[in-house]
């Protein structure tokens, strides 16, 4: 069956093209065209700008046609949460400005403590939003991506996470933001980064496809916390979860003697083994115990912090799911808890 297509009404030329051929031409045009909704994205993290993960994330976003600015700490800032230094001059490394990559913070550890200014995740992403984005686009970014972190950020542990700290400050500006964290194996295995990045790209593609015209990628003050399991290739798929309390089976604890904590000893033994300081795990464990004996500080203990709900992200990611939790930038309690407080404190 033939379809008539008017190519030029002014000169009245008419020609017939098979419907199948027209469809093929349209499909080909779509394949070679730029993304319909390329985004301006500020990319940050808390592990520094020199990690496998953040490089893989930038590469994946750029490959999809997005315009990306990387603004991250110069040094590892894991666990810094929402911390920042104010009214103190901080250095910004602009040696990679041509690639729109910037890092914030001092690196010279020989400086006196009072003179050393760290570039925390909050400070880094704000540089990206307030300075780099304004210089490049003349406006705030369409999206902030924080991560991928080298280790999951789950449950109550999000309160301490620099990955989430950067996400929250972006959300407080009304900018859509996505926090993303991979398993700790992404620290040593560079093949994990592209896989984690692909998850994020798929989520962004879906958000783009499902939003209405002239609307932001996500509603104001709303973001996502995405975590990937240890074996992404064998994941059970995506699961929409609650943040919950479970931090992935661990709880913070002040430990008086690191050498008596199996988790801490095992962690340091893995580092010694990876560095070639020990030939076997047995040797590494003995060395780690000796190094840690008598030292004290914050460590971890196995614990589900009384949260074994299958819908909690800490439970679901350990069960093999890619988890997506919806977050916002507010610490406001539910209306039921507000009412309870008013009831309990009535008469004040």
């Amino acid at each position: 069956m033939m379809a008539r297509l008017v190519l030029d009404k002014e000169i009245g030329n008419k020609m017939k093209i098979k419907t199948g051929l027209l469809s093929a031409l349209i499909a080909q045009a779509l394949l070679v065209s730029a993304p319909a909704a390329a985004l301006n994205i500020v990319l940050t993290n808390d592990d520094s700008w020199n990690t496998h993960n953040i490089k893989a994330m930038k590469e994946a976003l750029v490959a999809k046609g997005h315009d990306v600015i990387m603004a991250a700490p110069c040094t590892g800032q894991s666990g810094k949460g929402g911390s920042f230094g104010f009214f103190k001059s901080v250095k910004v490394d602009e040696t990679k400005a041509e690639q729109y990559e910037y890092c914030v913070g001092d690196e010279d550890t020989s400086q006196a403590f009072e003179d050393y200014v760290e570039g925390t995740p909050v400070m880094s992403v704000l540089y990206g939003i307030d300075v780099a984005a304004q210089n490049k686009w003349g406006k705030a970014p369409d999206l902030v991506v924080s991560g991928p972190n080298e280790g999951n950020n789950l449950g109550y542990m999000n309160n301490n996470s620099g990955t989430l700290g950067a996400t929250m400050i972006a959300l407080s500006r009304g900018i859509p933001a996505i926090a993303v964290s991979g398993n700790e194996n992404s620290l040593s295995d560079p093949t994990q980064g592209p896989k984690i990045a692909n998850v994020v790209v798929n989520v962004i593609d879906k958000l783009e496809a499902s939003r209405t015209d002239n609307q932001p990628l996500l509603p104001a003050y709303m973001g996502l916390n995405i975590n990937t399991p240890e074996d992404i290739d064998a994941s059970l798929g995506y699961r929409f979860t609650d943040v919950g309390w479970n931090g992935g089976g661990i709880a913070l604890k002040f430990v008086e003697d690191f050498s008596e904590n199996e988790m801490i000893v095992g962690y340091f033994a893995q580092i010694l083994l990876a560095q070639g300081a020990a030939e076997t795990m047995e040797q590494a464990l003995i060395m780690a115990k000796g190094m840690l004996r008598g030292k004290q500080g914050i460590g971890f203990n196995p614990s589900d912090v009384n949260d074994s709900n299958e819908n909690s992200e800490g439970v679901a990611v350990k069960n093999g799911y890619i988890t997506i939790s919806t977050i916002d930038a507010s610490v406001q309690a539910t209306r039921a808890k507000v009412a309870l407080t008013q009831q309990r404190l009535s008469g004040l």
Side-chain angles (χ1 to χ4, degrees), residues 200-323:
V200 180
V201 166
N202 287 341
V203 170
I204 293 173
D205 283 350
K206 189 67 174 177
L207 289 173
E208 283 192 88
S210 61
R211 69 169 166 167
T212 56
D213 292 340
N214 301 319
Q215 293 298 312
L217 202 66
L218 292 166
Y221 312 111
M222 173 180 149
L224 303 177
N225 188 37
I226 299 175
N227 280 272
T228 60
E230 182 175 3
D231 189 349
I232 301 178
D233 296 328
S235 78
L236 301 179
Y238 292 88
R239 180 160 184 165
F240 298 103
T241 51
D242 297 325
V243 173
W245 286 101
N246 193 309
I250 57 174
L252 289 173
K253 183 178 181 180
F254 196 99
V255 180
E256 290 186 274
D257 187 341
F258 281 167
S259 68
E260 299 299 321
N261 185 286
E262 290 185 8
M263 186 172 289
I264 298 173
V265 171
Y267 175 77
F268 277 91
Q270 288 179 5
I271 294 175
L272 292 171
L273 201 62
Q275 293 176 343
E279 295 183 0
T280 65
M281 178 55 74
E282 185 178 1
Q283 274 186 345
L285 289 169
I286 294 172
M287 290 177 62
K289 273 207 167 191
M291 293 169 55
L292 297 171
R293 186 165 291 112
K295 299 185 184 298
Q296 60 184 347
I298 296 294
F300 298 102
N301 265 0
S303 174
D304 65 3
V305 292
N306 296 318
D307 178 11
S308 57
N309 191 313
E310 291 186 358
N311 205 44
S312 292
E313 59 184 11
V315 176
V317 79
K318 291 300 180 183
N319 286 339
Y321 288 97
I322 298 169
T323 61

Side-chain angles (χ1 to χ4, degrees), residues 94-145:
E94 298 182 350
T95 57
K96 297 182 180 179
E98 289 187 0
Q99 291 82 45
Y100 297 102
E101 295 182 3
Y102 310 88
C103 80
V104 179
D106 279 329
E107 295 181 87
D108 182 5
T109 55
S110 67
Q111 293 184 79
F113 176 79
E114 60 270 18
D115 297 326
Y116 190 91
V117 181
E118 296 178 315
T120 67
V122 165
M123 295 164 69
S124 300
V125 76
L126 285 179
Y127 177 84
I129 293 169
D130 294 334
V131 180
Q134 293 300 323
N135 291 339
K136 186 171 179 18
W137 305 313
K139 60 181 181 179
D142 301 312
L143 175 68
V144 164
V145 174

Side-chain angles (χ1 to χ4, degrees), residues 37-42 66-69 137 139-144:
L39 301 174
N40 294 334
I41 299 175
V42 167
H66 301 301
D67 202 359
V68 182
I69 290 172
W137 305 313
K139 60 181 181 179
D142 301 312
L143 175 68
V144 164

